[in-house]
PDB file of all heavy atoms in Angstrom:
ATOM      1  N   GLU A  23      34.034 -77.879-153.281  1.00  0.00           N
ATOM      2  CA  GLU A  23      33.644 -79.024-154.099  1.00  0.00           C
ATOM      3  C   GLU A  23      33.013 -78.572-155.419  1.00  0.00           C
ATOM      4  O   GLU A  23      33.169 -79.219-156.458  1.00  0.00           O
ATOM      5  CB  GLU A  23      32.646 -79.912-153.346  1.00  0.00           C
ATOM      6  CG  GLU A  23      33.086 -80.382-151.965  1.00  0.00           C
ATOM      7  CD  GLU A  23      32.798 -79.362-150.887  1.00  0.00           C
ATOM      8  OE1 GLU A  23      31.647 -78.914-150.749  1.00  0.00           O
ATOM      9  OE2 GLU A  23      33.770 -78.999-150.195  1.00  0.00           O
ATOM     10  N   PHE A  31      24.768 -76.595-165.094  1.00  0.00           N
ATOM     11  CA  PHE A  31      24.090 -75.299-165.145  1.00  0.00           C
ATOM     12  C   PHE A  31      23.191 -75.272-166.375  1.00  0.00           C
ATOM     13  O   PHE A  31      23.435 -75.967-167.361  1.00  0.00           O
ATOM     14  CB  PHE A  31      25.095 -74.148-165.211  1.00  0.00           C
ATOM     15  CG  PHE A  31      25.883 -73.959-163.950  1.00  0.00           C
ATOM     16  CD1 PHE A  31      27.075 -74.645-163.748  1.00  0.00           C
ATOM     17  CD2 PHE A  31      25.424 -73.103-162.963  1.00  0.00           C
ATOM     18  CE1 PHE A  31      27.802 -74.479-162.571  1.00  0.00           C
ATOM     19  CE2 PHE A  31      26.147 -72.933-161.782  1.00  0.00           C
ATOM     20  CZ  PHE A  31      27.331 -73.624-161.586  1.00  0.00           C
ATOM     21  N   TRP A  84      27.215 -58.719-169.793  1.00  0.00           N
ATOM     22  CA  TRP A  84      28.093 -57.682-170.362  1.00  0.00           C
ATOM     23  C   TRP A  84      28.899 -58.242-171.523  1.00  0.00           C
ATOM     24  O   TRP A  84      29.057 -57.585-172.560  1.00  0.00           O
ATOM     25  CB  TRP A  84      29.032 -57.149-169.283  1.00  0.00           C
ATOM     26  CG  TRP A  84      28.436 -56.112-168.399  1.00  0.00           C
ATOM     27  CD1 TRP A  84      27.211 -56.146-167.805  1.00  0.00           C
ATOM     28  CD2 TRP A  84      29.045 -54.879-168.012  1.00  0.00           C
ATOM     29  NE1 TRP A  84      27.017 -55.017-167.056  1.00  0.00           N
ATOM     30  CE2 TRP A  84      28.116 -54.225-167.155  1.00  0.00           C
ATOM     31  CE3 TRP A  84      30.268 -54.288-168.264  1.00  0.00           C
ATOM     32  CZ2 TRP A  84      28.389 -52.979-166.576  1.00  0.00           C
ATOM     33  CZ3 TRP A  84      30.545 -53.049-167.691  1.00  0.00           C
ATOM     34  CH2 TRP A  84      29.615 -52.402-166.864  1.00  0.00           C
ATOM     35  N   CYS A 153      31.496 -49.152-172.236  1.00  0.00           N
ATOM     36  CA  CYS A 153      31.290 -47.814-172.788  1.00  0.00           C
ATOM     37  C   CYS A 153      31.695 -47.777-174.260  1.00  0.00           C
ATOM     38  O   CYS A 153      32.711 -48.374-174.640  1.00  0.00           O
ATOM     39  CB  CYS A 153      32.105 -46.764-172.038  1.00  0.00           C
ATOM     40  SG  CYS A 153      31.563 -46.466-170.340  1.00  0.00           S
ATOM     41  N   GLU A 190      27.162 -45.640-161.446  1.00  0.00           N
ATOM     42  CA  GLU A 190      28.454 -46.154-161.899  1.00  0.00           C
ATOM     43  C   GLU A 190      29.095 -45.214-162.910  1.00  0.00           C
ATOM     44  O   GLU A 190      30.315 -44.998-162.888  1.00  0.00           O
ATOM     45  CB  GLU A 190      28.277 -47.541-162.517  1.00  0.00           C
ATOM     46  CG  GLU A 190      27.915 -48.622-161.514  1.00  0.00           C
ATOM     47  CD  GLU A 190      27.518 -49.925-162.188  1.00  0.00           C
ATOM     48  OE1 GLU A 190      26.988 -49.893-163.328  1.00  0.00           O
ATOM     49  OE2 GLU A 190      27.736 -50.990-161.580  1.00  0.00           O
ATOM     50  N   ILE A 234      19.261 -36.082-163.056  1.00  0.00           N
ATOM     51  CA  ILE A 234      19.177 -36.293-164.504  1.00  0.00           C
ATOM     52  C   ILE A 234      17.737 -36.038-164.934  1.00  0.00           C
ATOM     53  O   ILE A 234      16.824 -36.557-164.309  1.00  0.00           O
ATOM     54  CB  ILE A 234      19.577 -37.739-164.883  1.00  0.00           C
ATOM     55  CG1 ILE A 234      21.028 -38.026-164.459  1.00  0.00           C
ATOM     56  CG2 ILE A 234      19.434 -37.963-166.386  1.00  0.00           C
ATOM     57  CD1 ILE A 234      21.455 -39.473-164.696  1.00  0.00           C
ATOM     58  N   HIS A 258      14.238 -33.427-174.531  1.00  0.00           N
ATOM     59  CA  HIS A 258      14.420 -33.304-173.091  1.00  0.00           C
ATOM     60  C   HIS A 258      13.248 -34.016-172.412  1.00  0.00           C
ATOM     61  O   HIS A 258      12.083 -33.699-172.677  1.00  0.00           O
ATOM     62  CB  HIS A 258      14.450 -31.822-172.709  1.00  0.00           C
ATOM     63  CG  HIS A 258      14.918 -31.558-171.323  1.00  0.00           C
ATOM     64  ND1 HIS A 258      14.165 -31.858-170.208  1.00  0.00           N
ATOM     65  CD2 HIS A 258      16.083 -31.004-170.867  1.00  0.00           C
ATOM     66  CE1 HIS A 258      14.826 -31.504-169.126  1.00  0.00           C
ATOM     67  NE2 HIS A 258      15.996 -30.982-169.488  1.00  0.00           N
ATOM     68  N   ILE A 265      16.510 -30.697-178.410  1.00  0.00           N
ATOM     69  CA  ILE A 265      17.690 -29.885-178.094  1.00  0.00           C
ATOM     70  C   ILE A 265      17.766 -28.684-179.030  1.00  0.00           C
ATOM     71  O   ILE A 265      18.099 -27.564-178.622  1.00  0.00           O
ATOM     72  CB  ILE A 265      18.964 -30.728-178.182  1.00  0.00           C
ATOM     73  CG1 ILE A 265      18.886 -31.904-177.188  1.00  0.00           C
ATOM     74  CG2 ILE A 265      20.193 -29.883-177.910  1.00  0.00           C
ATOM     75  CD1 ILE A 265      18.673 -31.511-175.751  1.00  0.00           C
TER      76      ILE A 265
END
Side-chain angles (χ1 to χ4, degrees):
E23 306 84 54
F31 291 89
W84 278 46
C153 292
E190 291 170 331
I234 299 175
H258 192 288
I265 300 303

